[in-house]
Amino acid sequence: SQKIEQNSEALNIQEGKTATLTCNYTNYSPAYLQWYRQDPGRGPVFLLLIRENEKEKRKERLKVTFDTTLKQSLFHITASQPADSATYLCAREGGSQGNLIFGKGTKLSVKP
Amino acid sequence: DTEVTQTPKHLVMGMTNKKSLKCEQHMGHRAMYWYKQKAKKPPELMFVYSYEKLSINESVPSRFSPECPNSSLLNLHLHALQPEDSALYLCASSQLVGQGLYGYTFGSGTRLTVV
């Protein structure tokens, strides 16, 4: 079956370090992947989208990469801050019908 | 306006009650969605509306009844729910179905508790 997986449930890092989150996909080739941030009790907030023909995309302190050989996307937050603590979700669209399918998410905790 | 607004934010209802969740967007998006999210799980799709017509119903029980009165509004009517239906209900929109190149915009959700 087509899967999108975030294998790390949680990631704890020190303030100022770079956080790296991983999203893997199997049994299909997505045209693009999306990354969202979700705070407790709130809806996901769209952060970045990366297409399969893009190696890297940046937005302020965020960077996303897409490696079609490894079937993997990496999400980086540089110079992390406690305010970056949240759950980060990787997502793909299931097809033309618009079913946005999420990975299980990685809960990032940035300690001062 | 770049928001999806959901009301109410919190709802407690008995198993015999009828209630409705409301969602509104004014971004001109023609695709709207209902998702359900349980604690420590990712959001799961319930319904998709495209141009005000229901295009996907992910085998959701009939006690959940969606409605799209116009291109800006989406409702979810609830009747005879079970305690296991307690969850965060999220509304989302995108420009078109299956074309999320600009991402999906989610509301803050309605925290539903069924007692």
Side-chain angles (χ1 to χ4, degrees):
Chain A
S1 62
Q2 300 175 347
K3 291 185 180 180
I4 185 165
E5 294 175 322
Q6 294 178 259
N7 293 324
S8 296
E9 283 193 17
L11 177 64
N12 299 311
I13 65 168
Q14 207 66 30
E15 183 177 8
K17 301 293 186 183
T18 296
T20 299
L21 286 65
T22 304
C23 176
N24 296 293
Y25 57 91
T26 56
N27 298 326
Y28 74 106
S29 298
Y32 49 83
L33 290 170
Q34 304 181 25
W35 284 89
Y36 289 79
R37 168 182 172 143
Q38 187 172 25
D39 291 285
R42 305 297 298 270
V45 174
F46 173 71
L47 296 175
L48 283 169
L49 178 148
I50 185 164
R51 301 172 193 249
E52 61 175 344
N53 61 352
E54 296 176 316
K55 295 292 184 191
E56 179 182 298
K57 182 169 278 189
R58 292 175 183 262
K59 177 183 176 182
E60 298 174 351
R61 293 184 296 110
L62 309 180
K63 184 178 83 171
V64 175
T65 62
F66 199 158
D67 189 324
T68 54
T69 301
L70 295 178
K71 293 185 179 293
Q72 183 179 85
S73 175
L74 298 180
F75 178 84
H76 306 271
I77 306 175
T78 58
S80 59
Q81 305 166 0
D84 295 325
S85 299
T87 295
Y88 291 86
L89 297 158
C90 175
R92 68 169 181 96
E93 284 187 300
S96 59
Q97 294 179 324
N99 183 5
L100 192 64
I101 300 169
F102 291 92
K104 291 185 178 180
T106 298
K107 184 176 181 180
L108 175 66
S109 296
V110 181
K111 304 297 183 184
Chain B
D1 188 352
T2 58
E3 289 186 343
V4 171
T5 302
Q6 289 188 245
T7 56
K9 293 191 183 305
H10 301 276
L11 178 63
V12 179
M13 61 184 291
M15 289 188 283
T16 58
N17 291 159
K18 285 185 180 181
K19 297 286 185 182
S20 296
L21 309 185
K22 296 186 183 300
C23 174
E24 189 169 1
Q25 59 90 12
H26 296 287
M27 294 176 282
H29 290 175
R30 303 315 300 268
M32 296 186 75
Y33 313 83
W34 281 114
Y35 282 81
K36 173 181 178 180
Q37 187 174 25
K38 302 282 276 185
K40 300 187 186 300
K41 299 287 187 182
E44 293 184 346
L45 183 71
M46 299 175 72
F47 302 105
V48 179
Y49 272 84
S50 176
Y51 289 91
E52 298 100 69
K53 293 192 187 309
L54 183 65
S55 65
I56 292 182
N57 174 342
E58 289 286 347
S59 302
V60 179
S62 59
R63 56 186 183 268
F64 294 92
S65 176
E67 178 195 20
C68 190
N70 59 55
S71 61
S72 299
L73 294 174
L74 188 64
N75 298 322
L76 186 62
H77 302 297
L78 314 172
H79 174 55
L81 294 193
Q82 304 297 311
E84 58 264 29
D85 295 321
S86 299
L88 181 67
Y89 288 84
L90 295 162
C91 176
S93 69
S94 66
Q95 287 193 332
L96 295 170
V97 166
Q99 295 187 28
L101 291 177
Y102 301 99
Y104 288 47
T105 303
F106 283 81
S108 293
T110 294
R111 171 68 63 189
L112 174 68
T113 303
V114 181
V115 297

